Amino acid sequence: MILESWTEDKLLNGLVTVLQPRHGYRAAIDPVLLAAAVPARSNETILELGSGTGVASLCLAARLPEVHVTGLELQQSLIYLAQKSTVHNGLGTRVSFELGDILTPPNSVQRSKFDHVMANPPYMAKGSGFPPSDQQKAWAHVEGDAVLSDWIALAKTSIKSGGTITFIQRADREKEITSAFSGGAWHVIIYPLWPNNRAANAKRVIVHARNGDGAATVRASGLMLHGPSGRYTKEADAILRE
């Protein structure tokens, strides 16, 4: 796919500039929240699966100036924009993007072990719903040949001992993720993202799993995204801006 035009968008209160297609899939708040949920520290390495235009990778690298992030993305046109964004933000020595598929990742990814893996995979299961007519949006929203279990499998084989995996996903697919971490020494935290009150169902969840901490599944109180006025809560705004 050839991109005819793109926009420059500011994130984290202007700290990060990302280039995105003017038409087609455009990132919302989910990759920013994902990047904020990864417990990376100085000199650690992070792999992002399905990195798109690089929003989560760039936000994480900007937040933690001594980490190294690798993004794996299927669409060459999105890698092109992600690489341009990386140079624009002065992160070329710490953020890189690889062309490849979840099912057949490049050797550079297969041979590496990372401290953390993060992903914002398609929310709709393969064959469900009505995919957007725009092909780029369809790839972002609906699973292709690689289904959610494939994303998790690659994440599990890509981390070091004691490493973490962080996914953001639709809340009704939470059990698909947590069941993938059963039967081993995985400490799993489920972090709901509430729309405006805890009486309503959360639409999104962040699922965070650490290898080697002992088997447990914990549900956190989560994050309230919007207040009664419809604006972001102070807590959500602090994450999205700061």
Side-chain angles (χ1 to χ4, degrees), residues 125-186:
K126 184 177 180 179
S128 67
F130 299 94
S133 57
D134 182 276
Q135 184 61 65
Q136 194 179 83
K137 285 185 178 181
W139 280 332
H141 289 288
V142 184
E143 291 173 345
D145 292 335
V147 298
L148 184 55
S149 59
D150 296 317
W151 289 67
I152 298 171
L154 179 56
K156 290 171 74 172
T157 60
S158 297
I159 60 168
K160 300 175 181 178
S161 177
T164 75
I165 296 171
T166 307
F167 274 48
I168 187 168
Q169 181 56 275
R170 210 166 64 179
D172 61 3
R173 304 194 70 184
E174 171 192 313
K175 288 185 178 179
E176 289 182 65
I177 302 178
T178 56
S179 64
F181 295 106
S182 62
W186 291 95

Side-chain angles (χ1 to χ4, degrees), residues 1-236:
M1 177 181 179
I2 299 174
L3 294 173
E4 296 180 354
S5 62
W6 56 80
T7 62
E8 291 189 9
D9 302 298
K10 302 291 185 181
L11 300 172
L12 299 182
N13 213 23
L15 180 64
V16 173
T17 299
V18 295
L19 307 182
Q20 301 191 86
R22 189 175 300 275
H23 306 289
Y25 175 74
R26 294 174 59 81
I29 66 172
D30 290 359
V32 182
L33 295 171
L34 174 66
V38 177
R41 295 178 293 183
S42 296
N43 299 315
E44 290 188 329
T45 57
I46 301 95
L47 171 66
E48 182 185 7
L49 302 179
S51 50
T53 55
V55 171
S57 292
L58 294 169
C59 285
L60 180 55
R63 175 169 69 87
L64 299 168
E66 295 181 356
V67 300
H68 291 79
V69 188
T70 300
L72 176 65
E73 173 54 42
L74 178 64
Q75 300 181 64
Q76 181 66 66
S77 59
L78 299 187
I79 289 182
Y80 172 76
L81 290 182
Q83 290 172 335
K84 287 180 70 70
S85 297
T86 299
V87 174
H88 184 90
N89 288 280
L91 296 171
T93 60
R94 296 195 295 111
V95 181
S96 62
F97 297 94
E98 298 280 349
L99 179 66
D101 187 270
I102 297 297
L103 296 175
T104 55
N107 289 334
S108 57
V109 171
Q110 291 191 50
R111 292 196 302 261
S112 301
K113 294 291 183 181
F114 299 84
D115 296 293
H116 310 277
V117 176
M118 62 178 176
N120 177 22
Y123 288 158
M124 296 173 64
K126 184 177 180 179
S128 67
F130 299 94
S133 57
D134 182 276
Q135 184 61 65
Q136 194 179 83
K137 285 185 178 181
W139 280 332
H141 289 288
V142 184
E143 291 173 345
D145 292 335
V147 298
L148 184 55
S149 59
D150 296 317
W151 289 67
I152 298 171
L154 179 56
K156 290 171 74 172
T157 60
S158 297
I159 60 168
K160 300 175 181 178
S161 177
T164 75
I165 296 171
T166 307
F167 274 48
I168 187 168
Q169 181 56 275
R170 210 166 64 179
D172 61 3
R173 304 194 70 184
E174 171 192 313
K175 288 185 178 179
E176 289 182 65
I177 302 178
T178 56
S179 64
F181 295 106
S182 62
W186 291 95
H187 185 88
V188 180
I189 300 175
I190 303 162
Y191 198 81
L193 300 173
W194 306 101
N196 50 25
N197 67 79
R198 286 180 172 81
N201 291 329
K203 294 182 179 180
R204 302 278 189 268
V205 291
I206 292 174
V207 179
H208 175 76
R210 181 180 291 275
N211 176 249
D213 270 3
T217 300
V218 177
R219 183 173 294 276
S221 58
L223 174 69
M224 191 75 66
L225 294 174
H226 300 98
S229 67
R231 303 183 66 175
Y232 288 123
T233 62
K234 182 168 63 176
E235 295 78 10

